[in-house]
Amino acid sequence: MPVDDATLSKMAQRLRRDCLESTSEAGSGHPTSCMSAAELASVLFFEEMRFDPRDPSGRDQDVFVLSKGHAAPLLWAALKEAGGIDDDLLTLRRFDSRLEGHPTPRVPWVRVATGSLGQGLCAAAGMAWARKVDRSEGRVYVLLGDGEAAEGSVWEAAEFASFHGLDNLCAIVDVNRLGQSGPTMYQHDLEPYLSRFRGFGWEAAAVDGHDVKAVKDVLARSRATKGRPFGIVARTLKGKGVSFLENKDGWHGKAVKKGEELGKALAELGDTSVAIKVEPRRYPPSRPPASAEPRVEPAYKPGQEAATREAYGAALATLARTCPQAVALDGDVKNSTFSEKFKEAAPERFAEAYIAEQVMVGAALGASTEGKIPFASTFACFLSRAYDFIRMAVYSKPSHLVLCGSHAGVSIGEDGPSQMALEDLAMMRGLIGATVLYPSDAVSAERLVETAARTPGIVYIRTSRPKTKVIYDNAEAFPVGGSKTLRSSAHDRVTIVAAGVTLAEALKAHEVLGKDGIAARVIDLYSVKPIDEAALRKAAEETRGIVTVEDHCASGGIGDAVASAVAGRTRVEILGVRDVPRSGKPDELLKAYGISAEAIVAAARRLV
Amino acid sequence: MPVDDATLSKMAQRLRRDCLESTSEAGSGHPTSCMSAAELASVLFFEEMRFDPRDPSGRDQDVFVLSKGHAAPLLWAALKEAGGIDDDLLTLRRFDSRLEGHPTPRVPWVRVATGSLGQGLCAAAGMAWARKVDRSEGRVYVLLGDGEAAEGSVWEAAEFASFHGLDNLCAIVDVNRLGQSGPTMYQHDLEPYLSRFRGFGWEAAAVDGHDVKAVKDVLARSRATKGRPFGIVARTLKGKGVSFLENKDGWHGKAVKKGEELGKALAELGDTSVAIKVEPRRYPPSRPPASAEPRVEPAYKPGQEAATREAYGAALATLARTCPQAVALDGDVKNSTFSEKFKEAAPERFAEAYIAEQVMVGAALGASTEGKIPFASTFACFLSRAYDFIRMAVYSKPSHLVLCGSHAGVSIGEDGPSQMALEDLAMMRGLIGATVLYPSDAVSAERLVETAARTPGIVYIRTSRPKTKVIYDNAEAFPVGGSKTLRSSAHDRVTIVAAGVTLAEALKAHEVLGKDGIAARVIDLYSVKPIDEAALRKAAEETRGIVTVEDHCASGGIGDAVASAVAGRTRVEILGVRDVPRSGKPDELLKAYGISAEAIVAAARRLV
């Protein structure tokens, strides 16, 4: 039942009132950034989108992503007026409120946390892609600011969306002319936005974002467009509706003062007594996508040589065949990370993101909100390109998000430092609640893929380029937070903690030290975070010191993790890369940067 | 003296031979990615660019950036044939060679390390901008691959370059159709590249990249274009010139086998006996830009309240006035980071990068190659957007690159987790050789800006949102690697290590503990990396344990740094954020996440 334009316009005014009141009560926030988009929100929530205010799952419904996250009060207001939430809007930004300063999934209608600009469209593209995979009907709407269109990630999302033919995706840019610290690059010139959307393969149209009828019409055009996504470039005024805010500089991120100032603003909005009952509107029920418990079947022989990245690919292939909720995304290195094995087995659930790591990760996160277990893989060093996306994913609390970084460390050899991840462990350990896994042989690699697929939240798997010997039995289990003590005796004098390619060095060092009568314990720290505190503290008590050795910068990685875990219970010698590395042969580089068996032996001798 | 087309074509064939031979000798590398761009390199190095093969400084010369860094052998070959280097090309990728697998500044012609795609144009834009600032004449040429055009950062650079009118910048895209793991998104369709350049405000033209005359002509057009940058979209064939490589899939990153296979390839190239003497060509000598020793003049009163971010702005303003080689870049948050103070004092040396952190950092790095001391500032959490750029900057070994991240930690309050940097210390500590500084009051903030400006390489300054009390004398010095012991006695039983906003909490805890008869040492760890090992080890020996407290994730930051530095000499209790935070008042949040004075007191009691 269509709502008439006058009522939608009045609802826009009501949303403005809600935003002014809630931010004034909070004493902070971005009311003017909400006011520019009030008609857009009114038409979306009360006319265009098909959704059921009682069910935030998004199943067989249209969904909405607020990419310009600082307009959170507008989202809270629209949800409240539509009957999706019953929170008191005046609790905005309070510690005891779900209505945070920027959207987080504490409110279940929020599928991904936003507030770092330029990310919403990436996630939305992932949702739209997953819906294409599932052949489910609901559309994905995303509201962006004009300022955030400066982020390159927006255009990565744009190319991803057009390349994958996501005609179930509609992006609306709220061109309100004013950024945080001044006017935007193009102010009210809509042409650059239109030509970019078109240059990136989208259908695009300009609209007066305060003209309810025009907004309805362009959304109808968007819904009717097939084969490509649709971009709406809406000319708006920041602070629209209140004379002393409207189109005025200096009002970004500033609440109107309670009392007289607020009263004046609200008076200008006029009569805002309106209610629109949102009837549940859903698409015909679609068949729930199939799912199965993730399982891998490693089948290696002891001593067999295989790179952990190859084993990662083999495990992905198994999941592709047996776990229908698994999907994979690549940054044009699938033949190096071996995620191409997934593509071979299940091309329809594989998304090529080309050399655009931000949308690769953002789209993976979006896919996770559609019930997928996404595996996004690239060289570990290039995941640093998407660090802000991974950081924000923490706040999205995804059911699953598996990131795999291959080619870790100097052991990649001749390609040189630009391709060597030496900071990925630091970056992943620095994320609250993330799981960091680091296999050392093919069996542990496959098993850790299985572990990752079963672990909620963000899981990082670090794989290596060189082949390493298989040391584990195919049936060995690798739970999160565990470790493997590979060598130990009643008279161990020193402990060596290693993972990945340095584990073989540790085992070599164990031999050398043994010949000298120094018994060394060797621990495979395959779970870098959470870390096996019990095993490490036991080693701290039973041996005179711990040598850690990692193909990573000496700061932020395994050494730090172990030193923090033992927290002073024993001496710790950290071996890691301390100088800028260069091209060379892998073994040459392990030696040159002090993470070879020889370096371990020397460090162990210093401790005993 | 112009070189005739036939000779330039022959030089292209010679470059192909060089690349085939050097990669075959190395047994790895990307010969086919070099071969597509051989005519482009030939015309650039032997005809178009004005440079002096004896002087890699770039001063009063055109400069070149190889953004598609995997084509390094082509750069080495062009430099060798032009007389810029005399290295043996056959040492490519060897540990003892300067000729690494991807360009690094071990060869002085390389201004910025490349190999992480999509970064070269950002750096080049920064160089071109710095040359505009200096009114110096040399142009900046950058060669990109088609695959890397998928990176959003390329378009951030594009908008930066057109917005700032960088008509001294020319980008050439080598559209060779084939990426690493398959065809690129648009293969040989040049239209998307052209329309994007134009959509981002560039002049753009297509060309047959193997037609020497056409390439010359389009470069001449580029040179003649005023007011905007110029993009050349060159259609090429990967592996051009050798039948079994040309336009063939499966040859990315693969060397031709020495012996018969190489022989066959070289035979197809025909006669490559050519030499072109590159005469030194320079622009008229420009006046060297002025420079002065960086100095700040803090003038605070003890107990005065000021945020470290405000002091950062004040220090920048002083540098803007007194240190002409200082420049500043912003990501549209200059009114929050207070870098606007620099803009007010020296608008001509201030670049607004809008909400595009990758080009902000990339351009800052580029500016550093022109002798600038760049200060790039945004919210600390948004520097994570540019982490790959910061990582690569390590390998560029910049003379100076100062990054300032404001709004660190939960103490920002109501805006919520998306705006709270909780992983920035981990990310910066994970960089080899980076300096990480963290002021706690206005004096230390200003002094650390001075320290940063005098420190070579990458320096990160972490500032805070809340106001804190001035505790230092204006004349206090804050050298890199130092710390300040603010409270100590002969009978200290515990040490508290803090920095930034937690320092005030530590001082409060000191009072509370003192009343209980527990003497606590308090250390301000303003230099997080390098760390003051001596002071910490002394504290480890003289007290029963160390409590660290930081407004940061409990992993990867100050706690880890201290635990690693004391390496088991005493117990360490790490207080940091362990749960996903939410909106709230700053004090409320410090308490809720266990980094307030109360939490410190409790931890100290556990240790004594």
PDB file of all heavy atoms in Angstrom, chain B residues 317-346:
ATOM      1  N   ALA B 317      52.033  24.273  13.682  1.00  0.00           N
ATOM      2  CA  ALA B 317      51.964  25.688  13.297  1.00  0.00           C
ATOM      3  C   ALA B 317      53.342  26.337  13.398  1.00  0.00           C
ATOM      4  O   ALA B 317      53.749  27.103  12.514  1.00  0.00           O
ATOM      5  CB  ALA B 317      50.951  26.417  14.178  1.00  0.00           C
ATOM      6  N   THR B 318      54.064  26.011  14.457  1.00  0.00           N
ATOM      7  CA  THR B 318      55.423  26.547  14.601  1.00  0.00           C
ATOM      8  C   THR B 318      56.308  26.061  13.453  1.00  0.00           C
ATOM      9  O   THR B 318      57.046  26.850  12.840  1.00  0.00           O
ATOM     10  CB  THR B 318      56.031  26.099  15.949  1.00  0.00           C
ATOM     11  OG1 THR B 318      55.130  26.442  16.993  1.00  0.00           O
ATOM     12  CG2 THR B 318      57.376  26.769  16.181  1.00  0.00           C
ATOM     13  N   LEU B 319      56.221  24.786  13.152  1.00  0.00           N
ATOM     14  CA  LEU B 319      57.034  24.253  12.049  1.00  0.00           C
ATOM     15  C   LEU B 319      56.630  24.885  10.719  1.00  0.00           C
ATOM     16  O   LEU B 319      57.482  25.157   9.865  1.00  0.00           O
ATOM     17  CB  LEU B 319      56.894  22.730  11.959  1.00  0.00           C
ATOM     18  CG  LEU B 319      57.526  21.930  13.101  1.00  0.00           C
ATOM     19  CD1 LEU B 319      57.319  20.441  12.881  1.00  0.00           C
ATOM     20  CD2 LEU B 319      59.025  22.237  13.224  1.00  0.00           C
ATOM     21  N   ALA B 320      55.344  25.111  10.538  1.00  0.00           N
ATOM     22  CA  ALA B 320      54.875  25.729   9.294  1.00  0.00           C
ATOM     23  C   ALA B 320      55.551  27.092   9.103  1.00  0.00           C
ATOM     24  O   ALA B 320      55.945  27.451   7.992  1.00  0.00           O
ATOM     25  CB  ALA B 320      53.353  25.881   9.327  1.00  0.00           C
ATOM     26  N   ARG B 321      55.700  27.807  10.194  1.00  0.00           N
ATOM     27  CA  ARG B 321      56.292  29.146  10.116  1.00  0.00           C
ATOM     28  C   ARG B 321      57.805  29.127  10.001  1.00  0.00           C
ATOM     29  O   ARG B 321      58.401  29.987   9.355  1.00  0.00           O
ATOM     30  CB  ARG B 321      55.917  29.956  11.370  1.00  0.00           C
ATOM     31  CG  ARG B 321      54.477  30.457  11.421  1.00  0.00           C
ATOM     32  CD  ARG B 321      54.294  31.487  12.539  1.00  0.00           C
ATOM     33  NE  ARG B 321      54.802  30.995  13.822  1.00  0.00           N
ATOM     34  CZ  ARG B 321      54.078  30.293  14.704  1.00  0.00           C
ATOM     35  NH1 ARG B 321      52.816  30.020  14.459  1.00  0.00           N
ATOM     36  NH2 ARG B 321      54.628  29.885  15.835  1.00  0.00           N
ATOM     37  N   THR B 322      58.454  28.135  10.629  1.00  0.00           N
ATOM     38  CA  THR B 322      59.901  28.214  10.791  1.00  0.00           C
ATOM     39  C   THR B 322      60.687  27.164  10.021  1.00  0.00           C
ATOM     40  O   THR B 322      61.904  27.287   9.907  1.00  0.00           O
ATOM     41  CB  THR B 322      60.273  28.060  12.285  1.00  0.00           C
ATOM     42  OG1 THR B 322      59.840  26.761  12.723  1.00  0.00           O
ATOM     43  CG2 THR B 322      59.607  29.125  13.127  1.00  0.00           C
ATOM     44  N   CYS B 323      60.019  26.157   9.523  1.00  0.00           N
ATOM     45  CA  CYS B 323      60.730  25.027   8.918  1.00  0.00           C
ATOM     46  C   CYS B 323      60.167  24.824   7.518  1.00  0.00           C
ATOM     47  O   CYS B 323      59.200  24.091   7.315  1.00  0.00           O
ATOM     48  CB  CYS B 323      60.499  23.798   9.806  1.00  0.00           C
ATOM     49  SG  CYS B 323      61.333  22.315   9.242  1.00  0.00           S
ATOM     50  N   PRO B 324      60.755  25.509   6.518  1.00  0.00           N
ATOM     51  CA  PRO B 324      60.120  25.544   5.197  1.00  0.00           C
ATOM     52  C   PRO B 324      60.055  24.196   4.490  1.00  0.00           C
ATOM     53  O   PRO B 324      59.281  24.046   3.542  1.00  0.00           O
ATOM     54  CB  PRO B 324      60.983  26.541   4.415  1.00  0.00           C
ATOM     55  CG  PRO B 324      62.236  26.696   5.185  1.00  0.00           C
ATOM     56  CD  PRO B 324      61.965  26.335   6.600  1.00  0.00           C
ATOM     57  N   GLN B 325      60.837  23.228   4.938  1.00  0.00           N
ATOM     58  CA  GLN B 325      60.743  21.913   4.292  1.00  0.00           C
ATOM     59  C   GLN B 325      59.625  21.052   4.877  1.00  0.00           C
ATOM     60  O   GLN B 325      59.390  19.938   4.400  1.00  0.00           O
ATOM     61  CB  GLN B 325      62.102  21.180   4.344  1.00  0.00           C
ATOM     62  CG  GLN B 325      62.502  20.609   5.694  1.00  0.00           C
ATOM     63  CD  GLN B 325      63.248  21.603   6.562  1.00  0.00           C
ATOM     64  OE1 GLN B 325      62.940  22.802   6.595  1.00  0.00           O
ATOM     65  NE2 GLN B 325      64.221  21.117   7.321  1.00  0.00           N
ATOM     66  N   ALA B 326      58.942  21.544   5.897  1.00  0.00           N
ATOM     67  CA  ALA B 326      57.815  20.800   6.450  1.00  0.00           C
ATOM     68  C   ALA B 326      56.583  20.998   5.574  1.00  0.00           C
ATOM     69  O   ALA B 326      56.296  22.108   5.129  1.00  0.00           O
ATOM     70  CB  ALA B 326      57.522  21.261   7.877  1.00  0.00           C
ATOM     71  N   VAL B 327      55.870  19.904   5.314  1.00  0.00           N
ATOM     72  CA  VAL B 327      54.582  19.973   4.617  1.00  0.00           C
ATOM     73  C   VAL B 327      53.588  19.138   5.417  1.00  0.00           C
ATOM     74  O   VAL B 327      53.985  18.303   6.224  1.00  0.00           O
ATOM     75  CB  VAL B 327      54.666  19.458   3.157  1.00  0.00           C
ATOM     76  CG1 VAL B 327      55.662  20.269   2.345  1.00  0.00           C
ATOM     77  CG2 VAL B 327      55.016  17.972   3.115  1.00  0.00           C
ATOM     78  N   ALA B 328      52.310  19.375   5.202  1.00  0.00           N
ATOM     79  CA  ALA B 328      51.308  18.614   5.944  1.00  0.00           C
ATOM     80  C   ALA B 328      50.211  18.128   5.008  1.00  0.00           C
ATOM     81  O   ALA B 328      49.865  18.808   4.036  1.00  0.00           O
ATOM     82  CB  ALA B 328      50.711  19.459   7.062  1.00  0.00           C
ATOM     83  N   LEU B 329      49.693  16.943   5.309  1.00  0.00           N
ATOM     84  CA  LEU B 329      48.601  16.355   4.526  1.00  0.00           C
ATOM     85  C   LEU B 329      47.507  15.892   5.476  1.00  0.00           C
ATOM     86  O   LEU B 329      47.784  15.420   6.578  1.00  0.00           O
ATOM     87  CB  LEU B 329      49.097  15.171   3.697  1.00  0.00           C
ATOM     88  CG  LEU B 329      50.190  15.491   2.661  1.00  0.00           C
ATOM     89  CD1 LEU B 329      51.572  15.221   3.220  1.00  0.00           C
ATOM     90  CD2 LEU B 329      49.990  14.682   1.385  1.00  0.00           C
ATOM     91  N   ASP B 330      46.269  16.001   4.995  1.00  0.00           N
ATOM     92  CA  ASP B 330      45.113  15.733   5.854  1.00  0.00           C
ATOM     93  C   ASP B 330      44.124  14.823   5.131  1.00  0.00           C
ATOM     94  O   ASP B 330      44.044  14.822   3.912  1.00  0.00           O
ATOM     95  CB  ASP B 330      44.429  17.068   6.184  1.00  0.00           C
ATOM     96  CG  ASP B 330      43.070  16.897   6.852  1.00  0.00           C
ATOM     97  OD1 ASP B 330      42.952  16.057   7.760  1.00  0.00           O
ATOM     98  OD2 ASP B 330      42.118  17.616   6.461  1.00  0.00           O
ATOM     99  N   GLY B 331      43.348  14.068   5.918  1.00  0.00           N
ATOM    100  CA  GLY B 331      42.262  13.251   5.371  1.00  0.00           C
ATOM    101  C   GLY B 331      40.912  13.779   5.825  1.00  0.00           C
ATOM    102  O   GLY B 331      40.096  13.015   6.323  1.00  0.00           O
ATOM    103  N   ASP B 332      40.673  15.069   5.619  1.00  0.00           N
ATOM    104  CA  ASP B 332      39.424  15.744   5.997  1.00  0.00           C
ATOM    105  C   ASP B 332      39.067  15.614   7.479  1.00  0.00           C
ATOM    106  O   ASP B 332      37.899  15.507   7.847  1.00  0.00           O
ATOM    107  CB  ASP B 332      38.240  15.285   5.133  1.00  0.00           C
ATOM    108  CG  ASP B 332      36.990  16.154   5.359  1.00  0.00           C
ATOM    109  OD1 ASP B 332      37.145  17.316   5.796  1.00  0.00           O
ATOM    110  OD2 ASP B 332      35.873  15.666   5.126  1.00  0.00           O
ATOM    111  N   VAL B 333      40.067  15.640   8.331  1.00  0.00           N
ATOM    112  CA  VAL B 333      39.809  15.688   9.772  1.00  0.00           C
ATOM    113  C   VAL B 333      40.743  16.705  10.431  1.00  0.00           C
ATOM    114  O   VAL B 333      41.039  16.611  11.616  1.00  0.00           O
ATOM    115  CB  VAL B 333      39.973  14.296  10.436  1.00  0.00           C
ATOM    116  CG1 VAL B 333      38.813  13.373  10.077  1.00  0.00           C
ATOM    117  CG2 VAL B 333      41.296  13.657  10.057  1.00  0.00           C
ATOM    118  N   LYS B 334      41.148  17.705   9.655  1.00  0.00           N
ATOM    119  CA  LYS B 334      42.147  18.659  10.137  1.00  0.00           C
ATOM    120  C   LYS B 334      41.677  19.454  11.350  1.00  0.00           C
ATOM    121  O   LYS B 334      42.493  19.922  12.129  1.00  0.00           O
ATOM    122  CB  LYS B 334      42.579  19.604   9.008  1.00  0.00           C
ATOM    123  CG  LYS B 334      41.460  20.365   8.307  1.00  0.00           C
ATOM    124  CD  LYS B 334      42.031  21.156   7.120  1.00  0.00           C
ATOM    125  CE  LYS B 334      40.952  21.861   6.313  1.00  0.00           C
ATOM    126  NZ  LYS B 334      40.101  20.948   5.514  1.00  0.00           N
ATOM    127  N   ASN B 335      40.351  19.572  11.496  1.00  0.00           N
ATOM    128  CA  ASN B 335      39.835  20.280  12.667  1.00  0.00           C
ATOM    129  C   ASN B 335      39.798  19.380  13.904  1.00  0.00           C
ATOM    130  O   ASN B 335      39.612  19.869  15.015  1.00  0.00           O
ATOM    131  CB  ASN B 335      38.438  20.854  12.383  1.00  0.00           C
ATOM    132  CG  ASN B 335      37.460  19.787  11.893  1.00  0.00           C
ATOM    133  OD1 ASN B 335      37.866  18.735  11.419  1.00  0.00           O
ATOM    134  ND2 ASN B 335      36.181  20.065  12.016  1.00  0.00           N
ATOM    135  N   SER B 336      40.014  18.098  13.717  1.00  0.00           N
ATOM    136  CA  SER B 336      40.077  17.175  14.856  1.00  0.00           C
ATOM    137  C   SER B 336      41.508  16.811  15.221  1.00  0.00           C
ATOM    138  O   SER B 336      41.839  16.673  16.391  1.00  0.00           O
ATOM    139  CB  SER B 336      39.311  15.886  14.537  1.00  0.00           C
ATOM    140  OG  SER B 336      37.929  16.131  14.459  1.00  0.00           O
ATOM    141  N   THR B 337      42.343  16.628  14.206  1.00  0.00           N
ATOM    142  CA  THR B 337      43.763  16.337  14.474  1.00  0.00           C
ATOM    143  C   THR B 337      44.525  17.621  14.784  1.00  0.00           C
ATOM    144  O   THR B 337      45.642  17.572  15.262  1.00  0.00           O
ATOM    145  CB  THR B 337      44.448  15.715  13.243  1.00  0.00           C
ATOM    146  OG1 THR B 337      44.371  16.653  12.157  1.00  0.00           O
ATOM    147  CG2 THR B 337      43.779  14.411  12.828  1.00  0.00           C
ATOM    148  N   PHE B 338      43.915  18.747  14.470  1.00  0.00           N
ATOM    149  CA  PHE B 338      44.491  20.087  14.595  1.00  0.00           C
ATOM    150  C   PHE B 338      45.602  20.368  13.580  1.00  0.00           C
ATOM    151  O   PHE B 338      46.339  21.331  13.731  1.00  0.00           O
ATOM    152  CB  PHE B 338      44.941  20.382  16.023  1.00  0.00           C
ATOM    153  CG  PHE B 338      43.767  20.658  16.935  1.00  0.00           C
ATOM    154  CD1 PHE B 338      43.183  19.636  17.667  1.00  0.00           C
ATOM    155  CD2 PHE B 338      43.223  21.924  17.013  1.00  0.00           C
ATOM    156  CE1 PHE B 338      42.073  19.877  18.475  1.00  0.00           C
ATOM    157  CE2 PHE B 338      42.119  22.175  17.828  1.00  0.00           C
ATOM    158  CZ  PHE B 338      41.540  21.160  18.560  1.00  0.00           C
ATOM    159  N   SER B 339      45.678  19.555  12.529  1.00  0.00           N
ATOM    160  CA  SER B 339      46.626  19.891  11.475  1.00  0.00           C
ATOM    161  C   SER B 339      46.168  21.143  10.733  1.00  0.00           C
ATOM    162  O   SER B 339      46.923  21.726   9.963  1.00  0.00           O
ATOM    163  CB  SER B 339      46.821  18.722  10.514  1.00  0.00           C
ATOM    164  OG  SER B 339      45.655  18.498   9.759  1.00  0.00           O
ATOM    165  N   GLU B 340      44.932  21.584  10.984  1.00  0.00           N
ATOM    166  CA  GLU B 340      44.469  22.837  10.367  1.00  0.00           C
ATOM    167  C   GLU B 340      45.340  24.021  10.776  1.00  0.00           C
ATOM    168  O   GLU B 340      45.418  25.027  10.070  1.00  0.00           O
ATOM    169  CB  GLU B 340      43.002  23.115  10.709  1.00  0.00           C
ATOM    170  CG  GLU B 340      42.733  23.386  12.165  1.00  0.00           C
ATOM    171  CD  GLU B 340      41.239  23.621  12.482  1.00  0.00           C
ATOM    172  OE1 GLU B 340      40.402  23.462  11.584  1.00  0.00           O
ATOM    173  OE2 GLU B 340      40.950  23.943  13.643  1.00  0.00           O
ATOM    174  N   LYS B 341      46.013  23.864  11.915  1.00  0.00           N
ATOM    175  CA  LYS B 341      46.906  24.941  12.363  1.00  0.00           C
ATOM    176  C   LYS B 341      48.069  25.119  11.391  1.00  0.00           C
ATOM    177  O   LYS B 341      48.581  26.230  11.222  1.00  0.00           O
ATOM    178  CB  LYS B 341      47.441  24.639  13.772  1.00  0.00           C
ATOM    179  CG  LYS B 341      46.361  24.506  14.831  1.00  0.00           C
ATOM    180  CD  LYS B 341      45.691  25.844  15.094  1.00  0.00           C
ATOM    181  CE  LYS B 341      44.503  25.690  16.025  1.00  0.00           C
ATOM    182  NZ  LYS B 341      43.647  26.880  16.032  1.00  0.00           N
ATOM    183  N   PHE B 342      48.491  24.015  10.794  1.00  0.00           N
ATOM    184  CA  PHE B 342      49.539  24.103   9.775  1.00  0.00           C
ATOM    185  C   PHE B 342      48.990  24.828   8.551  1.00  0.00           C
ATOM    186  O   PHE B 342      49.622  25.731   8.007  1.00  0.00           O
ATOM    187  CB  PHE B 342      50.027  22.711   9.386  1.00  0.00           C
ATOM    188  CG  PHE B 342      51.255  22.715   8.500  1.00  0.00           C
ATOM    189  CD1 PHE B 342      52.501  22.396   9.025  1.00  0.00           C
ATOM    190  CD2 PHE B 342      51.171  23.041   7.151  1.00  0.00           C
ATOM    191  CE1 PHE B 342      53.638  22.411   8.223  1.00  0.00           C
ATOM    192  CE2 PHE B 342      52.299  23.061   6.336  1.00  0.00           C
ATOM    193  CZ  PHE B 342      53.534  22.737   6.877  1.00  0.00           C
ATOM    194  N   LYS B 343      47.784  24.444   8.148  1.00  0.00           N
ATOM    195  CA  LYS B 343      47.172  25.058   6.971  1.00  0.00           C
ATOM    196  C   LYS B 343      47.028  26.565   7.146  1.00  0.00           C
ATOM    197  O   LYS B 343      47.284  27.341   6.217  1.00  0.00           O
ATOM    198  CB  LYS B 343      45.813  24.421   6.700  1.00  0.00           C
ATOM    199  CG  LYS B 343      45.194  24.912   5.411  1.00  0.00           C
ATOM    200  CD  LYS B 343      43.825  24.328   5.117  1.00  0.00           C
ATOM    201  CE  LYS B 343      43.336  24.885   3.780  1.00  0.00           C
ATOM    202  NZ  LYS B 343      41.940  24.569   3.532  1.00  0.00           N
ATOM    203  N   GLU B 344      46.617  26.969   8.339  1.00  0.00           N
ATOM    204  CA  GLU B 344      46.442  28.399   8.586  1.00  0.00           C
ATOM    205  C   GLU B 344      47.760  29.155   8.431  1.00  0.00           C
ATOM    206  O   GLU B 344      47.800  30.273   7.927  1.00  0.00           O
ATOM    207  CB  GLU B 344      45.889  28.632  10.005  1.00  0.00           C
ATOM    208  CG  GLU B 344      44.418  28.242  10.126  1.00  0.00           C
ATOM    209  CD  GLU B 344      43.977  28.044  11.585  1.00  0.00           C
ATOM    210  OE1 GLU B 344      44.723  28.443  12.507  1.00  0.00           O
ATOM    211  OE2 GLU B 344      42.889  27.462  11.790  1.00  0.00           O
ATOM    212  N   ALA B 345      48.846  28.503   8.847  1.00  0.00           N
ATOM    213  CA  ALA B 345      50.150  29.191   8.825  1.00  0.00           C
ATOM    214  C   ALA B 345      50.844  29.093   7.470  1.00  0.00           C
ATOM    215  O   ALA B 345      51.589  29.997   7.092  1.00  0.00           O
ATOM    216  CB  ALA B 345      51.052  28.623   9.915  1.00  0.00           C
ATOM    217  N   ALA B 346      50.621  27.994   6.771  1.00  0.00           N
ATOM    218  CA  ALA B 346      51.331  27.791   5.491  1.00  0.00           C
ATOM    219  C   ALA B 346      50.442  27.011   4.524  1.00  0.00           C
ATOM    220  O   ALA B 346      50.716  25.862   4.198  1.00  0.00           O
ATOM    221  CB  ALA B 346      52.648  27.045   5.729  1.00  0.00           C
TER     222      ALA B 346
END
